[in-house]
Amino acid sequence: MPVELPLPKSLRQARWKVKIQEKESREPPHVSILRRTDKWRINLRTREFMNAEPDSNDVPDELLDVLRQNWSWLCRQWDSMYPDNPVVGEE
Amino acid sequence: MNTILLTPNLGKVNGFAALRPRVVSSGKQLEKSVAAAGRETLWISADAGMTVELLKLVRWPARSLGSALLLHKLSVETLGALQECFSPIAFAPPGGFLSTPELVAALRAKNRADLVLCGTVDKASRTVRLFCGNLDSLVVPFSAFSPSGDGVAPDFDRFSVADYGHTVRLGKYEAAVDAILYEFDADYRRRKAKERLRSERGLGASLRRLRKERRLRREDFAPLAAKTIARIEQGKIKSVRPRTLTAIAKVLGVKPDELEDY
């Protein structure tokens, strides 16, 4: 089952979503940030954006703060979905 | 692209307004539209009856009338005739599409080829056919949707598309579309490889490589903002001020004019 991080109302109303989706076992551990047709991925090991596009500056600081506050929880969720590709592993 | 919307129900038009379609709701309008259509025309039909009327107006052998997105049920027999006039064609049963606002946004998106608009499930062949925003399709076997560690298995009776085309839902199971495309769409892999190559050249890529080698975080370049470092790494800042370059080079322990060589 996918994991969706609960977000404050203001972010939800602006259509932001943070998810760990299925079928991503071959990728480095990451969370997906979704807003309308855009998608950003942040590596759970390095805390860095994984793709050059879309512009990472378009992700609001408020959302990045929520991610930081829930980092350990997100890492645990990834590990439970992908036990063969845990966050603490080879970079 | 010229968009034509076939619907006898003018209430449906508003949802598609952002595509600025020519709305066709009568036989006369349909005749004119068929005559004017060409390869660059996108037909969206919300009504099976109007799709059939369109086919009756075609002079066979058919010339290309453009591409088609069919939002209604479709018989296999009709599909054959449609394929003679339209390429590509995307279609799905009711419930197999994104919601109308998401569908319209996905069709207008720059990255529409990376988004899924709709799909069909064929239990006989144990495959799912997905249609992307450029209307190209790909076939994915059931076996590609492997259960994740928490044991949730895909439910192929409950197919839907969500998140503006980023997600394929199979009951409680949600597959990331980019992961599916990476595995089953060679064009997608080529596009991503090109993007990677582009991002691996230049000052930004060198800065990123050096920073990782030195085990530094973007925050370690203060007073330069971490966001500025990120923008340089991503190639968003094309012309970096000499003062900024010197500050970065100092943290990395290299000469400013050699930074790009790493």
Side-chain angles (χ1 to χ4, degrees):
Chain A
M1 202 155 82
V3 169
E4 185 164 354
L5 179 67
L7 295 176
K9 195 176 172 187
S10 57
L11 290 169
R12 283 201 316 271
Q13 282 178 337
R15 297 177 190 271
W16 289 97
K17 287 183 184 180
V18 173
K19 285 186 172 185
I20 297 175
Q21 295 177 295
E22 269 139 333
K23 218 191 134 34
E24 304 218 271
S25 56
R26 294 181 186 188
E27 296 286 321
H30 65 275
V31 288
S32 297
I33 300 172
L34 305 169
R35 185 173 184 270
R36 295 175 58 87
T37 54
D38 286 330
K39 177 176 180 174
W40 297 259
R41 301 185 305 163
I42 296 187
N43 190 315
L44 283 166
R45 288 179 183 149
T46 63
R47 298 185 180 235
E48 290 178 350
F49 283 90
M50 291 167 64
N51 305 95
E53 295 283 339
D55 191 341
S56 56
N57 286 307
D58 292 340
V59 179
D61 289 339
E62 188 189 355
L63 189 142
L64 294 175
D65 285 342
V66 178
L67 275 183
R68 273 184 217 108
Q69 287 157 20
N70 292 280
W71 200 262
S72 308
W73 181 81
L74 288 166
C75 291
R76 284 199 303 275
Q77 298 303 317
W78 175 277
D79 287 353
S80 121
M81 282 177 76
Y82 300 107
D84 296 334
N85 182 21
V87 175
V88 181
E90 289 299 310
E91 191 175 333
Chain B
M1 183 173 274
N2 306 316
T3 304
I4 298 174
L5 175 63
L6 302 185
T7 176
N9 175 5
L10 294 177
K12 285 203 172 186
V13 175
N14 283 346
F16 292 91
L19 293 171
R20 298 169 186 261
R22 190 184 326 143
V23 180
V24 172
S25 55
S26 71
K28 202 164 187 180
Q29 290 170 325
L30 191 56
E31 207 172 332
K32 277 187 186 170
S33 298
V34 169
R39 287 180 193 280
E40 292 301 308
T41 306
L42 166 64
W43 296 76
I44 301 176
S45 177
D47 184 75
M50 291 199 74
T51 303
V52 170
E53 285 308 308
L54 186 163
L55 284 174
K56 288 181 189 167
L57 293 169
V58 171
R59 286 189 184 170
W60 305 95
R63 62 182 177 87
S64 170
L65 296 178
S67 51
L69 177 59
L70 306 171
L71 309 175
H72 53 73
K73 276 187 181 173
L74 194 63
S75 72
V76 176
E77 292 80 5
T78 309
L79 180 61
L82 286 166
Q83 282 172 328
E84 292 292 313
C85 320
F86 301 103
S87 178
I89 304 178
F91 54 92
F97 277 92
L98 286 170
S99 65
T100 302
E102 294 195 10
L103 181 71
V104 169
L107 281 168
R108 295 180 72 209
K110 209 167 72 178
N111 61 335
R112 59 182 168 271
D114 303 345
L115 303 168
V116 168
L117 302 181
C118 62
T120 58
V121 173
D122 179 19
K123 284 190 168 177
S125 64
R126 297 182 61 77
T127 56
V128 177
R129 188 172 182 194
L130 301 173
F131 294 91
C132 295
N134 57 0
L135 307 194
D136 282 347
S137 69
L138 69 153
V139 175
V140 182
F142 280 11
S143 57
F145 301 95
S146 49
S148 41
D150 55 11
V152 170
D155 178 351
F156 294 98
D157 287 323
R158 293 170 60 206
F159 171 92
S160 62
V161 194
D163 296 331
Y164 289 83
H166 287 297
T167 302
V168 167
R169 270 195 196 131
L170 297 160
K172 289 182 176 174
Y173 183 98
E174 277 195 11
V177 161
D178 46 13
I180 298 170
L181 294 177
Y182 197 85
E183 196 173 344
F184 293 98
D185 182 347
D187 284 341
Y188 179 85
R189 280 198 302 277
R190 273 192 287 274
R191 279 201 304 279
K192 292 296 150 185
K194 270 188 190 168
E195 276 173 27
R196 231 182 358 256
L197 272 178
R198 257 200 321 269
S199 67
E200 281 168 5
R201 287 190 209 126
L203 173 66
S206 297
L207 167 56
R208 190 168 190 276
R209 273 194 291 273
L210 264 176
R211 180 174 65 75
K212 294 199 121 196
E213 206 178 287
R214 307 279 196 270
R215 295 182 178 275
L216 294 168
R217 297 168 308 147
R218 288 174 177 148
E219 289 77 9
D220 294 329
F221 290 78
L224 295 174
K227 278 200 167 187
T228 303
I229 300 296
R231 285 177 64 79
I232 296 171
E233 286 185 354
Q234 291 160 5
K236 308 280 185 215
I237 299 176
K238 300 292 176 202
S239 174
V240 181
R241 288 181 192 161
R243 205 170 53 184
T244 305
L245 208 57
T246 305
I248 290 170
K250 192 176 172 189
V251 176
L252 294 168
V254 298
K255 291 180 184 170
D257 56 345
E258 290 178 359
L259 190 51
E260 206 166 332
D261 300 340
Y262 285 86

